[in-house]
Each structure stands twice: as C-alpha cells, then as structure tokens.
Amino acid sequence: MSNESKPDLSRRQFLGGAAAVAGLAVAPGVFLVESASAATGASSKVRWGLLIDTNLCDSGCDACVTACNKEHGLNGHGRPATDAQYIRKVDLKDRKTGATRSLPVMCQHCEHPPCVDVCPTGASMKRPDGIVLVDKHICIGCRYCMMACPYKARSFVHEDLTDQLPHTPRGKGTVESCNLCVHRIDRGDGTTACVEACNRDGGSAMVFGDLNDPNSEISRRLAEFGSAAIRADFKLNPGVRYRGI
Amino acid sequence: MAAVSLVRSLLPALLGAGLLVLLAGCGEVSAPRMMEARGDTCVEPVEVMRRDHMKLLKHERNQALRLGARTERYSLNGCIECHVSPTASREDPSSHFCLNCHAFNAVRFDCFQCHADKPMPDSGRVHALNPNGAQHALTVASGEELANDAQRLVALEIKAQ
Amino acid sequence: MKAKVQFLEVSGKGGYIGLLGGLAALLVIGLLSAYYMEHHGHHVTGMTNQIVWGMPHVFAIFLIVAASGALNVASIASVFGKQVYKPLAPLSALLSMALLMGGLAVLVLDLGRPDRLIVAMTYYNFKSIFAWNIFLYTGFLGIVLVYLWFMLEKRMNRYSHYAGFTAFIWRLILTTGTGSIFGFLVAREAYNAAILAPLFIVMSFSLGLAVFLLVLMAAYRWTERPLGDLVMRRLKNLLGVFIGAVLYFVAVYHVTNLYATRLHGAEAFILLNGGIYTFLFWFVQILIGSVLPLILLFHPTLGRSRSIIGTACVLVILGGLAQLYVIIIGGQAWPLNLFPGYEISSSFYDGVVASYRPTLPEFLLGIGGAALAMLIVALGVRFLRLLPASLADERVDPHAAKAAAAEPEAAAAQA
Ligand code: SF4
C-alpha cells in the first residue's frame, strides 16, 4: 500500500480547480509556451550526415544491418519481398574491370528529397536538421514516395505489427525508412546504431556527424578525401556520402 | 383488414411495453476498474488529463516529430511508463489503462497500431515524475475514488455551460 | 428544321432489376476484397516493396483515364458544335462522372490507410502532383455535374455550351495530371518521359469512346430503342482514328527512348525479353488491342455489324488494360539503376527484375470499381431523362446523312 501510493487527493483538488481547466480551454497557448521553453528542437544550423568508406567495408560483413534491425525492432515475417529493410548491403561488380565493392545503402537523407515533393499529405518531411522522416500520423499509405525514391530506400508495412519498440513507432499501412536513429540524435548520443556497430564489430567504415560544422570529423574527412553521392546526376545532394565508388 | 386495425390499436401498447423493458434494463453503470498510476502526481491535474490528454498528446506529437522538440513531459511513452504495466496486453483491455477507458467510453483511437503499448522493462528511461521505475507493480484504483472523480468532472462540465 | 430530340428515362422492369442486382453483387464483392486486403495488410496481395502499385492501380487508372475520354462525345457536340452528337451528350457526361467515381473508389480502397481519407482531404502538400490531382478530380466531378444540369434544365440550356467548354479544357488538364503522376518519377527509366502526358490523353480518347460505345449499344439494345447506323458509323470511325493516334504515340515513346542509350536496357525489357510484359505489349496491346480492332472497324462488311463493333470495343479495352499493366507494373519491375556501369546485388532485390503475381482480391477490387461505375450509369438513366427515346437515323439528322463519312476525321483532327 505504501509503495503503490495513491494520488494525494487534496493536492489533486488544489491543482485541479475549475480555473486550471478553464485556463487550458481558453488559452491553448499554455502548452505552446511550455514546450517552447522545455525543448528547442532540431536546429537548421546542423545537417546530419554519414560518410561511408567502401574501401573499409567488407562484402561478408553486415554488422550495420543487424544492428539496425535490432535497434528498430525490424523482426520481419520471413517474407523478404514485403519485409522492411531500412538498411541493406549492396554488392557491386564493375562490368568492365570486374572490380568489386560492397557498401550499405539506406535512406540518403537528400537535401531535395523527391519523396517529400510527391507526398500528397506532407507526411514525408525533412526536419530542420536534414533528417528525412515519415510522419506516420498523416501517411495514408499511397506509396507514391516509394515510386519516387531513386534509392529504393523505403518499405511499406504490409501487415499488423505488435511489440514495436517505444522509440520506433511503426504500423500497418504506412511507409517507413531509415530515420537516422533520430531518437538517439535527439537524446544527444552523437551516433547511430549502424555507425556504432560498424565501429565495434565491422570495418569502421562509417562516420556520423554534422556536415555543416567544419570541425566535425565527418567534415574534415570530406574536405580531405572528397566523396561521391549515389546517382549524383539527380542533384538531390544526399546527406549520405561514399568514398571509393 | 381486421388484422391491420388490430395491429394499429395495439401499436402504442407494444411501444410502451418495449420502452419499459429498456428502462428496466438500465441499472447503475459502474465505471471500469482503472489501473492506478505509479508515482503520486500526473503531469497535469486529473481533470485536465481526462478532458484534454488528446490535445496535449497531439501537440507533443507534432512538435517532437516534425521539429524534434521533445518535451518528455507530454510524451506518449511517458504516459505508458507510469500508467501501464509491462505485463499489460492488448488482448485483455482491462489490463491496460488507456485501452480500458477507451473501451468503456467507446472512443476509437489508433495510437497503438504503431506505438509500443507497454513500457520496455529494461529501457532505463523513467518519466521525471515516476519515482519508482517502470517495473514497479500497479494496482487497481478503488471504485469509490473513481466515482468521486467522475462526479467532479460532471460538476465542472455543468459549470462551464 | 431539326427534329426535336425526346429524352426518356428507361423503364425499371425485367432485366433491369437483374442488371442492378448483378452490378451490386460485383460491387459488394469488390468491397469485401478491399476489406480483406486492409484487414490482413497488403502482404495478402501480390504487391511488395518492389512492385508498390499493382492491379488495383491498373484498374483505377484505366477508369480515370476512360472517364475523361468518355466526355469526348459531349465535347464534340458542345465545343465543336456537331449536331449529330448532341443527343448523346447527357449520357457521355454521366458516364464520365461514373467512371471517375469508380476509379477513385478503387484508388482510395487500395490505400494503406483508407480510414484516413479525411487526412488526405485536410492535409495538402501543394508541391505534390497527387495533391493537385485530388483537386482536378473533384473539380471535374463538379464541372461535369453543372454541365449535365445545364443540359437537362431547359432554362439553362443556353449556357450548356460554356459549361461544356470548361469541362473539355478541364478534362485535358486532368488527363495530363494523371499522366504526370508517372512523368515526375525521374529515377524510373520507363516513366521519365514528357510524352507520357499526351500519350495518356490519346489513350483516354480511345478507351473512353470504347466504353461509351459499349454502354450505348447495351442501353439501346436492352431498352429496345432504335439506334441508327448514322450515329454508330461516326462513332466507330472516330474510335478507329483514336486507336491509330494511340499507336502513333506509343511508337514515338519507344523510338525516342531507343535514341537514349542509357534506356536501352529498360526498352529491351519491354520490347524483347520481358516475358509477360513483352507478351502483353506485342500480343495484347498492339495486336489484339489495336491492330485487330482497326481491321474490324474499317472492314467494309464486318465493320457494319453491331456485334463486330462491340467486339472491337472489348478488344480495345483489353488492350488498354494490358497497356496500363505494361506501363505501371512493367515500369516498376525493371530495377532502379543505383550504380550505372555496375552489376548490383543485395538482399533487397537490387539489380533484379521484380516479380509480381497479382492475387484474386486485387482483381475483384478493380472489377468492383468498374461495377460501381456501371451501377451509377444504370441508376442515372433510370431516374434522369438522359437517353434519347430514339437514335434512328432520321431522328438524329435527316439532312446530314451523306456527309457522315467525312466528318469524324475532321472532328478527331480538331480534338
Ligand atoms: S505513402 Fe505516406 S509518406 Fe509516402 S507519399 Fe503516400 S502519404 Fe506520403
């Protein structure tokens, strides 16, 4: 009884007078003020991105994929054609020289994302800090964004789900994709599940960071070695960059 | 012809009888037995939460998702950490704070089609107002107390009109 | 002096009830299929993360495209002032609204979250061509409704010309909008072509007219009203011209693609080695759906038979469905080219041709949409005076019979 303490009645009465309720009803701004002071939100001064060095990425390694599936609770249903994949390993073979490469591909978090352009409701969106997300509250599941994405980065949830993880809500009838571990970023972890796993169990091929900060590791590496974007000819300026392709 | 007029004359009586049967069926409605929360205070007074939790949640959802401005205070996960036991189940709504009340009031909501419906036992994340942690046991609130709450809400509703 | 055309509603006896019942049954089956798909999620369909738009979209886009084409007859009457087509205008307007509603119903019922239709109507992203189409479609319904009203209401008759003109322009924009849904998908090699929009416009002409002819013939046969050769000959010649136009645009589309070396793979896939898509393209779309109907329609003796004209219309519809299947599904089956110059493989079907096996509920949903359209038409002609009591030659145009053969081409050229 003592541990399962009940709400203190007098205290509740004190807080819960008619005035408080009326205040909320007349002035919905109450909560606006509240959250504005409580959290500043994503800043447009930063742009989160990834740099992937394909020279360090081994074809047999899928540490990033496993970590991503675990982080977001992507358990799958044993149906590869319809199961979600936020990140996948792609193997390349040069048609002329026969040289091979291996690299992970996920949502490229474009500066000019086609999915955002085509989405009829505005569910596909780009956060101020450059992360491209699906607002599953207003996604109607038309899949036009999947038609438009040049990177085949998106998946549609084809069945009812249970036991989702608290930080990765996902459900039937909506579209989803890599969210750059936005819950970690907002928590201030400064890394994503895939990058963490790559550094721990893989070839340390991935760097996460702020592309707008010239002193960040990712910016220094980009300045020093340069990089490429997948299908740069589409001029989407993706936030995910590669070396060695 | 005779049959028709017979039915006509009987109709009012039949209707009356039906009404009586219906009225007889209306007993006192007992409130659902709600789970108690962990901790001793909610983020807002209970009357506010009962009437406006959806507004708070919707505002929080847009701020957090679209702008990355997460307040913790009104997050759905915060609600669940305090109000829902890790052993609650969708199959048995009476074990789940939100589902229980929504079922009782016949209000459809689809939060849990996507969102986790119970706290992760080892999340390590605890709402600021929850002194006990997510594993802590929950009990069912007393019916008397719920009835008091309900009465107060009705009184407020009348006053507001 | 022009003979006055008398419009009469059809009687609700006999076969009519059976027709309604049959259509309603198909509609219910379609709705049940949609419920089945939504309840279990889309994994019970053939659609996957590779083929994200499937059979329902083939049907939906067919109906929407045919809807704007079905208005053709009315447009020719009011915009180009061809008297012979005037009596057919009300049916043409009703049919086009009905087809559009059928197509939209299929599109909506296939959404991942059809329960959020209200979201689709309250949140708009004005950069999205899809969102624009929502306005185009609802606007089209509204305009054609006004047009129909002006035609039916005597006091408004004199304005029907303006309404008809607005509807005509709106309809061209609408079909362009539908075609642009695909034209905006820059990364998909089969779709990234400006010619898709005009291709959709001519497709709408031929598909819409084929559906219109079938409905017209069925309505007059089942109500035992006279339908003269004069009207039929014009319409079937017009259909022939439209089929030819579609063939021309299809040829231009593929030839321009063949100029671009980077598209050779995608082109060879459709034209040479795409299995079902190649078969559908050459055999169903080109041979059965275009060449054969052309021969039937313009054959000096066969082309006079009503049943042959009906067969030709059915073939055109089949060809149109095949064409949309090749465009929509074939275009997705061909893999995206993430790394030009490389062979690609992954666990997510990169670099391989995606397979698609449509399931029964997808078909039934599409059929249900068509049934909804036909049900609306059947109810419309029952309760409104839309169908002329007679379309016998002397009723339609006693004086112009001899000029009949030359005119349709002229009208088509203007259109
Ligand atoms: S599926 Fe959802 S996110 Fe994608 S375009 Fe449609 S509404 Fe937008």
Side-chain angles (χ1 to χ4, degrees):
Chain A
M1 186 64 210
S2 59
N3 265 343
E4 291 103 49
S5 53
K6 276 195 228 136
D8 170 356
L9 241 168
S10 62
R11 179 176 155 74
R12 205 196 303 169
Q13 267 169 340
F14 168 68
L15 284 170
V21 177
L24 191 77
V26 236
V30 169
F31 7 110
L32 284 169
V33 174
E34 175 97 45
S35 45
S37 59
T40 41
S43 158
S44 56
K45 291 203 187 68
V46 299
R47 174 152 192 236
W48 300 115
L50 294 172
L51 175 61
I52 296 161
D53 189 341
T54 58
N55 299 312
L56 300 176
C57 181
D58 183 52
S59 163
C61 173
D62 65 352
C64 52
V65 177
T66 317
C68 176
N69 290 347
K70 180 152 178 289
E71 180 78 13
H72 298 289
L74 309 180
N75 302 323
H77 300 81
R79 295 189 283 259
T82 51
D83 283 343
Q85 296 197 24
Y86 290 4
I87 180 172
R88 63 193 192 266
K89 280 300 295 290
V90 175
D91 287 310
L92 305 180
K93 188 158 158 235
D94 193 318
R95 285 216 180 85
K96 287 203 200 78
T97 65
T100 59
R101 290 252 165 259
S102 178
L103 66 168
V105 175
M106 69 294 278
C107 170
Q108 304 284 299
H109 298 281
C110 309
E111 185 188 354
H112 309 292
C115 54
V116 174
D117 285 347
V118 300
C119 176
T121 66
S124 285
M125 48 155 264
K126 187 168 64 123
R127 264 181 26 150
D129 55 2
I131 303 177
V132 175
L133 295 175
V134 180
D135 183 346
K136 288 160 193 162
H137 302 111
I138 57 172
C139 170
I140 54 173
C142 66
R143 284 106 79 205
Y144 197 16
C145 52
M146 299 177 76
M147 292 289 276
C149 177
Y151 304 108
K152 206 169 173 297
R154 294 201 155 183
S155 302
F156 180 66
V157 182
H158 285 78
E159 56 277 289
D160 266 321
L161 299 178
T162 50
D163 295 324
Q164 294 94 325
L165 299 178
H167 52 259
T168 307
R170 45 194 299 262
K172 180 175 79 177
T174 57
V175 165
E176 56 182 0
S177 59
C178 158
N179 59 13
L180 214 57
C181 284
V182 66
H183 59 290
R184 284 172 170 250
I185 293 178
D186 287 351
R187 202 161 64 193
D189 286 15
T191 187
T192 66
C194 53
V195 172
E196 195 178 74
C198 185
N199 286 326
R200 190 181 54 228
D201 311 321
S204 297
M206 300 166 94
V207 185
F208 168 86
D210 178 5
L211 298 170
N212 284 351
D213 172 6
N215 297 318
S216 65
E217 191 194 347
I218 190 170
S219 297
R220 275 189 281 114
R221 288 210 201 186
L222 282 171
E224 194 173 340
F225 306 113
S227 73
I230 304 181
R231 291 304 304 255
D233 51 328
F234 291 139
K235 302 203 167 40
L236 305 173
N237 188 13
V240 178
R241 297 303 178 117
Y242 293 84
R243 281 194 64 206
I245 54 165
Chain B
M1 213 53 204
V4 172
S5 63
L6 186 69
V7 170
R8 276 224 186 108
S9 60
L10 277 181
L11 208 55
L14 279 174
L15 280 179
L19 215 61
L20 276 181
V21 171
L22 280 180
L23 282 175
C26 292
E28 202 173 309
V29 180
S30 50
R33 287 167 64 75
M34 300 294 294
M35 306 306 294
E36 242 340 327
R38 302 184 188 87
D40 61 356
T41 177
C42 196
V43 293
E44 293 290 340
V46 69
E47 287 85 355
V48 177
M49 290 313 284
R50 287 215 173 141
R51 283 159 55 130
D52 291 322
H53 64 280
M54 62 301 245
K55 292 184 200 154
L56 297 167
L57 282 169
K58 188 168 183 188
H59 180 73
E60 169 71 20
R61 127 197 160 181
N62 288 335
Q63 294 286 305
L65 171 55
R66 303 195 75 95
L67 301 173
R70 307 187 190 232
T71 64
E72 295 286 300
R73 186 175 169 101
Y74 298 125
S75 90
L76 180 63
N77 284 335
C79 302
I80 288 166
E81 276 159 23
C82 282
H83 284 282
V84 183
S85 146
T87 58
S89 134
R90 269 183 232 196
E91 270 68 57
D92 175 16
S94 69
S95 70
H96 192 288
F97 181 83
C98 316
L99 293 171
N100 195 10
C101 193
H102 273 264
F104 177 75
N105 289 300
V107 176
R108 203 185 82 101
F109 73 129
D110 58 4
C111 302
F112 297 124
Q113 276 189 27
C114 290
H115 283 279
D117 55 2
K118 45 182 175 276
M120 263 212 304
D122 52 353
S123 75
R125 224 186 67 105
V126 173
H127 196 279
L129 290 174
N130 177 355
N132 298 318
Q135 289 90 335
H136 197 70
L138 297 165
T139 51
V140 173
S142 82
E144 195 185 328
E145 196 185 329
L146 286 167
N148 285 342
D149 286 347
Q151 261 168 17
R152 252 208 318 267
L153 272 179
V154 173
L156 273 175
E157 206 72 64
I158 292 169
K159 214 195 261 177
Q161 277 167 10
Chain C
M1 236 228 54
K2 188 163 63 80
K4 194 148 170 38
V5 181
Q6 189 194 8
F7 289 93
L8 274 182
E9 58 273 72
V10 306
S11 91
K13 294 214 187 72
Y16 181 79
I17 298 295
L19 176 68
L20 279 197
L23 291 174
L26 286 178
L27 176 61
V28 169
I29 292 174
L31 288 175
L32 287 176
S33 309
Y35 175 75
Y36 171 77
M37 283 162 54
E38 299 305 337
H39 182 74
H40 292 275
H42 274 62
H43 83 90
V44 298
T45 71
M47 288 177 267
T48 61
N49 285 330
Q50 286 60 245
I51 307 287
V52 301
W53 286 353
M55 214 58 208
H57 300 81
V58 172
F59 275 96
I61 293 176
F62 176 90
L63 290 169
I64 291 171
V65 163
S68 83
L71 195 65
N72 240 325
V73 177
S75 299
I76 297 173
S78 65
V79 177
F80 304 117
K82 295 272 177 260
Q83 291 300 328
V84 193
Y85 296 97
K86 270 251 154 78
L88 301 173
L91 176 65
S92 156
L94 173 72
L95 181 61
S96 95
M97 284 198 293
L99 289 170
L100 185 60
M101 286 192 249
L104 290 182
V106 175
L107 215 50
V108 165
L109 288 173
D110 176 74
L111 290 178
R113 299 292 309 251
D115 51 323
R116 288 193 181 153
L117 191 56
I118 189 75
V119 170
M121 298 194 295
T122 47
Y123 289 79
Y124 281 111
N125 167 21
F126 286 101
K127 272 185 102 175
S128 166
I129 184 78
F130 236 41
W132 281 103
N133 275 333
I134 297 176
F135 284 114
L136 288 179
Y137 296 152
T138 44
F140 183 79
L141 286 177
I143 290 175
V144 177
L145 200 64
V146 169
Y147 179 33
L148 193 60
W149 172 49
F150 283 5
M151 283 191 288
L152 296 186
E153 170 64 59
K154 277 216 188 59
R155 282 166 299 167
M156 291 301 188
N157 273 177
R158 55 210 157 104
Y159 302 117
S160 76
H161 174 80
Y162 301 107
F165 193 74
T166 317
F168 174 68
I169 300 292
W170 195 273
R171 171 194 122 210
L172 292 183
I173 303 174
L174 181 138
T175 324
T176 311
T178 309
S180 308
I181 289 179
F182 297 95
F184 272 74
L185 304 175
V186 286
R188 305 252 175 194
E189 294 175 353
Y191 301 146
N192 185 13
I195 193 149
L196 272 182
L199 175 63
F200 269 79
I201 292 186
V202 285
M203 275 174 73
S204 85
F205 286 3
S206 90
L207 298 180
L209 189 55
V211 176
F212 179 82
L213 263 169
L214 278 181
V215 170
L216 183 73
M217 286 194 287
Y220 275 74
R221 183 164 195 169
W222 292 336
T223 56
E224 291 167 357
R225 297 184 187 188
L227 174 60
D229 275 337
L230 186 67
V231 167
M232 285 308 290
R233 207 177 317 128
R234 285 190 174 214
L235 289 176
K236 70 133 194 169
N237 285 344
L238 197 57
L239 180 61
V241 173
F242 291 159
I243 297 171
V246 174
L247 273 179
Y248 169 76
F249 274 95
V250 168
V252 172
Y253 168 79
H254 287 293
V255 170
T256 45
N257 275 359
L258 284 172
Y259 264 117
T261 317
R262 66 180 178 89
L263 298 177
H264 280 181
E267 274 301 308
F269 175 66
I270 299 295
L271 300 181
L272 293 176
N273 51 26
I276 178 74
Y277 307 105
T278 307
F279 168 79
L280 284 176
F281 178 79
W282 287 113
F283 190 69
V284 184
Q285 177 189 337
I286 300 296
L287 195 65
I288 302 204
S290 309
V291 177
L292 190 57
L294 273 182
I295 295 174
L296 292 180
L297 289 174
F298 287 127
H299 192 281
T301 48
L302 289 178
R304 289 175 185 278
S305 147
R306 291 291 159 85
S307 50
I308 292 290
I309 296 178
T311 312
C313 291
V314 172
L315 291 179
V316 168
I317 290 172
L318 285 180
L321 284 169
Q323 179 170 14
L324 287 169
Y325 193 93
V326 170
I327 292 180
I328 297 172
I329 294 166
Q332 298 172 78
W334 182 247
L336 285 170
N337 194 359
L338 258 61
F339 299 92
Y342 287 94
E343 262 167 43
I344 315 170
S345 61
S346 81
S347 61
F348 206 51
Y349 302 87
D350 285 287
V352 297
V353 170
S355 76
Y356 173 64
R357 225 169 291 117
T359 57
L360 190 61
E362 292 171 76
F363 268 112
L364 296 177
L365 172 58
I367 304 273
L372 172 64
M374 290 306 124
L375 196 62
I376 294 174
V377 172
L379 290 174
V381 294
R382 169 81 184 88
F383 293 107
L384 295 172
R385 293 183 176 173
L386 297 174
L387 282 185
S390 165
L391 283 173
D393 289 352
E394 64 280 6
R395 280 281 174 175
V396 177
D397 196 349
H399 309 298
K402 51 184 186 307
E407 256 176 354
E409 280 82 356
Q414 284 178 47

